Amino acid sequence: MKTVKKVNLRALVVMAIMSALGYVLMLLEFPLPMLIPPFIKFDFSELPAIITSFALGPLYGVGVCFFKNALHLLNTTTFCVGELSNFLLGAIFVGVAGLVYKRKKTFKSAVVGTLIGAVIMAVISVFTNLFIVYPIYAELLVPMPVILSMYSAILPSVDSVFEALVIFNLPFNFSKGIIDAVVCFICYKKLSPILKGNNT
């Protein structure tokens, strides 16, 4: 019982540290001009979450997604809409990848898990944005026609929000997941023993 409590306490501490790191990485977000509208920015904040998901399990990885966004509410400029979107998509990516890896802890399983997670996240992003995030965003911040105009400024042939989400957001979110996964694979082997507490 003491061992279980010790492990759980360590995992919670690691999750807290990785959440704080994820929060800092969220602050370092940057736009990708001419590739996607400027209100959508790229960051590496899912990196601590995917590392945690592989090292400690998907529940802890999703926890990192939740708490980093909770911390970011202190800096929100979107009335929590941006944080809601970031959490939903990050939790899907990290949760799916972590679940696949948990079943069979091999490099191949990690690669397959991140690919599946990135695809599911990208596809679901179209519908979470279309039915949840963008309607809230339009109600509180920017009207939907203005949102659409930001996409059509990049690609004039875009004439609906759904089309814009498929053309821009879907590949953006997929690429974001893959980039986070690649960086994770580069540094995971060195970080894993430290996170698990079995480094010597």
Side-chain angles (χ1 to χ4, degrees), residues 2-200:
K2 288 183 178 180
T3 302
V4 173
K5 287 183 178 179
K6 183 178 179 181
V7 171
N8 288 343
L9 178 59
R10 179 182 180 82
L12 290 173
V13 170
V14 169
M15 183 177 69
I17 293 171
M18 298 300 267
S19 298
L21 178 58
Y23 163 67
V24 172
L25 291 174
M26 284 186 78
L27 298 178
L28 301 178
E29 64 184 4
F30 54 91
L32 298 173
M34 304 310 297
L35 293 178
I36 200 159
F39 67 89
I40 301 172
K41 295 175 180 160
F42 185 91
D43 64 62
F44 288 95
S45 65
E46 256 67 69
L47 179 58
I50 191 68
I51 291 174
T52 303
S53 189
F54 285 154
L56 303 178
L59 184 61
Y60 290 100
V62 171
V64 171
C65 291
F66 176 81
F67 288 111
K68 75 181 176 71
N69 279 289
L71 288 170
H72 198 264
L73 291 176
L74 299 171
N75 308 93
T76 187
T77 58
T78 63
F79 295 94
C80 307
V81 179
E83 288 76 17
L84 172 63
S85 177
N86 189 282
F87 169 68
L88 289 174
L89 299 182
I92 290 168
F93 171 58
V94 167
V96 170
L99 282 171
V100 173
Y101 181 70
K102 186 177 181 181
R103 291 173 62 89
K104 189 176 182 181
K105 296 186 177 182
T106 63
F107 178 73
K108 180 180 179 180
S109 179
V111 171
V112 170
T114 53
L115 282 173
I116 295 173
V119 169
I120 294 175
M121 173 181 68
V123 172
I124 290 181
S125 74
V126 173
F127 299 100
T128 56
N129 281 316
L130 185 64
F131 295 113
I132 302 174
V133 177
Y134 278 24
I136 297 175
Y137 201 87
E139 186 70 25
L140 297 176
L141 295 168
V142 182
M144 199 68 77
V146 176
I147 294 175
L148 181 58
S149 71
M150 294 182 188
Y151 287 100
S152 58
I154 301 173
L155 185 64
S157 61
V158 172
D159 58 8
S160 72
V161 173
F162 177 76
E163 183 182 7
L165 291 170
V166 171
I167 294 174
F168 290 94
N169 293 54
L170 191 153
F172 171 81
N173 283 300
F174 176 76
S175 300
K176 187 172 184 288
I178 295 302
I179 292 171
D180 282 333
V182 169
V183 178
C184 170
F185 296 150
I186 292 172
C187 60
Y188 180 75
K189 190 173 181 179
K190 292 183 178 180
L191 290 177
S192 177
I194 298 173
L195 298 178
K196 295 178 181 179
N198 54 12
N199 55 308
T200 56

